[in-house]
Amino acid sequence: MPQQFFKVLHQSTKSGARVGEIITKHGKIQTPNFVPVGTNGTIKGVDNFIAENDLNVQLMFCNTYHLMLYPEIENIEKAGGLHKFINRNKPIITDSGGFQVFSLQENSDKFQQQNKNTNKANRSEQQLQQQLSLHNEPIMFPLDQPLQLESIDKLIETISSQQEQGLSEGLQQALKEEPYNTKSCTTDSDNNTKKKLIELKGQSKNKNYIQNLVDSITENGVNFRSYRDGKKFKITPEISVTAQYRMGSDIIIPFDELLPEHVPLEMIENALDRTHRWELRSLACHLELAKECNKEQHMYCVLHGGTNLNLRKKSMDVLLDPSVFHYRRVDDIVSNEGNEEALLPKGFEGIAIGGSLGSNRKEMLEVLEFTFNYFKEKIPSNCFVPNHVLGIGDIESIQSFIPLGVDTCDSAYPTRLARHGSLIINASSGQPSTISLKGKASLNLFDKVIDKECDCSVCKSGYSIAYLHHLFKSKEPSYVTLSTIHNVRQMMIWMERIRELIMDNKI
């Protein structure tokens, strides 16, 4: 276990921006950094050897939901874990599957029809669940060898002792209800992902299973149908965490509930409370698994609350409480050297900022500014805690939130941009922009590479914009590979430049 999970190397004197280092079993992640999305264990169009060695992708985001459905967790485990299965040596972060499940809910034809026929302001959460539920018993992901976990009562006492009585009782109730059954457990994102079901469905073209993908949402978890064959499945916090544990993810995201924008406040409040219970159950499972067989994994909590700042504050009060968050102090790290048990995680070790951050950049910044200001009150001054913005990573957004102190963010932005005929340029200057090669004028740029300052293999090999335009118009698969290599490398170059500028106190 690394002695220190995260450390700050430099704090800018000009803003809240900082340069740091996340330390995992599979290597270090320099921050700030951009995390490309590799939903199915690969960045679309690029193999993992190139991504790791040529593009210097230090952290990749894979999706538990898709990998659970296929190739299935037990097969990944038989292969030696996710790193070995996909031939990646550097760190991996995995999503819980919550985003995809709830995106499928929003995009199902049934759910869309309900939105047309029902007044959203008057639709209660209970009514929505009743409409979605088909009252069938889903199957669970099986374990080859069921885990034998220690007493849940003892665990509850450990992580709840310093919390307010109401939260403690809620946690106990959540953990004692049926879902904590390990014999049954196994176990691209930007703002437009939820609007395109085809992105969520991976390679599947079978439209017969788009309808009714989410059957019901209960305290236990989510009952849903596979987009592949319509088969019924169930995800609970314990199933999600156990899956991520078995895959060997370096950073684990707890199971949470993501609501669409513009739903009634009562529904947001109920979902937030349930998400907190799910996250604490996820944490309980993670801590037990770490004690059973330490794989040197780390769990982030996920802050929710939509654009409601009071709910955002509530989420931070619950999830950043010292009883459930492991604040590693510098002096503790020194004194614990050589003590394996003392270095085991005792709570969440990082913060992911999730949920809806609004419908525009102004709303996003209001939420993030409030969040980072409140961090100053909640996080002890002598502790270093990494943070991550979930699902947002376009150029303009990154430029706006790096000065706040964001460490990492993920998005399908550079890969989707490439597939749609746009390329990133000028990353080395610190002010990247994009160009489109869709227009016929690009066909005349025979001697012009995308970016002469770029060190990616596409630019260094001399591929012209005219040739890439031809490949794009011809729908050649090689275009996706070449354009994605370039765009992802541009994001990595930009991150390197951002770190330099922070070190010089220019950001």
Side-chain angles (χ1 to χ4, degrees), residues 18-79:
R18 60 189 186 178
V19 172
E21 201 171 60
I22 299 172
I23 306 167
T24 75
K25 176 182 178 180
H26 290 96
K28 297 178 180 179
I29 304 143
Q30 297 170 303
T31 65
N33 217 322
F34 175 81
V35 184
V37 172
T39 299
N40 290 301
T42 183
I43 299 170
K44 287 187 185 297
V46 178
D47 72 77
N48 288 322
F49 183 86
I50 290 176
E52 181 174 322
N53 296 283
D54 296 349
L55 307 184
N56 193 26
V57 173
Q58 297 180 2
L59 181 63
M60 187 169 77
F61 209 119
C62 298
N63 186 262
T64 302
Y65 166 82
H66 289 282
L67 295 172
M68 285 172 79
L69 295 183
Y70 199 83
E72 301 179 359
I73 302 304
E74 45 268 32
N75 291 320
I76 293 175
E77 194 171 38
K78 287 177 185 176

Side-chain angles (χ1 to χ4, degrees), residues 294-425:
N294 181 22
K295 290 190 176 183
E296 301 181 22
Q297 296 163 301
H298 310 269
M299 178 177 281
Y300 283 24
C301 64
V302 183
L303 303 178
H304 277 271
T307 56
N308 187 304
L309 301 185
N310 289 328
L311 294 183
R312 285 280 168 183
K313 180 177 182 296
K314 178 181 179 180
S315 193
M316 287 185 275
D317 286 338
V318 171
L319 299 175
L320 302 187
D321 189 276
S323 64
V324 296
F325 202 100
H326 189 176
Y327 293 105
R328 294 184 183 272
R329 294 174 172 79
V330 176
D331 52 352
D332 290 340
I333 294 164
V334 174
S335 63
N336 288 333
E337 186 175 356
N339 186 345
E340 277 297 312
E341 185 175 348
L343 292 173
L344 285 173
K346 299 178 179 63
F348 298 115
E349 296 180 82
I351 303 169
I353 303 169
S356 172
L357 295 180
S359 57
N360 55 62
R361 193 164 293 111
K362 181 176 181 294
E363 290 182 350
M364 177 196 75
L365 279 176
E366 287 176 356
V367 172
L368 290 179
E369 286 172 357
F370 175 83
T371 300
F372 277 84
N373 283 332
Y374 199 52
F375 282 170
K376 297 173 185 177
E377 297 183 32
K378 299 298 294 184
I379 301 174
S381 59
N382 60 341
C383 295
F384 298 140
V385 177
N387 63 73
H388 181 96
V389 175
L390 286 166
I392 300 177
D394 60 282
I395 291 173
E396 292 80 6
S397 294
I398 292 176
Q399 287 172 328
S400 66
F401 60 52
I402 284 295
L404 298 177
V406 169
D407 296 314
T408 54
C409 63
D410 71 276
S411 174
Y413 173 76
T415 54
R416 182 175 289 112
L417 205 65
R419 294 196 301 275
H420 288 83
S422 293
L423 303 172
I424 302 171
I425 60 171

Side-chain angles (χ1 to χ4, degrees), residues 417 420-425 433-443 445 465 469 472-473 479:
L417 205 65
H420 288 83
S422 293
L423 303 172
I424 302 171
I425 60 171
S433 57
T434 61
I435 60 171
S436 173
L437 45 71
K438 296 178 185 178
K440 195 170 183 179
S442 298
L443 192 56
L445 302 176
I465 291 178
H469 164 83
F472 176 75
K473 287 295 186 180
Y479 164 76

Side-chain angles (χ1 to χ4, degrees), residues 114 118 122-132:
Q114 288 169 353
T118 307
N122 296 325
R123 187 176 71 240
S124 69
E125 181 186 53
Q126 183 179 8
Q127 290 170 328
L128 177 58
Q129 289 185 13
Q130 288 173 346
Q131 290 168 341
L132 288 171

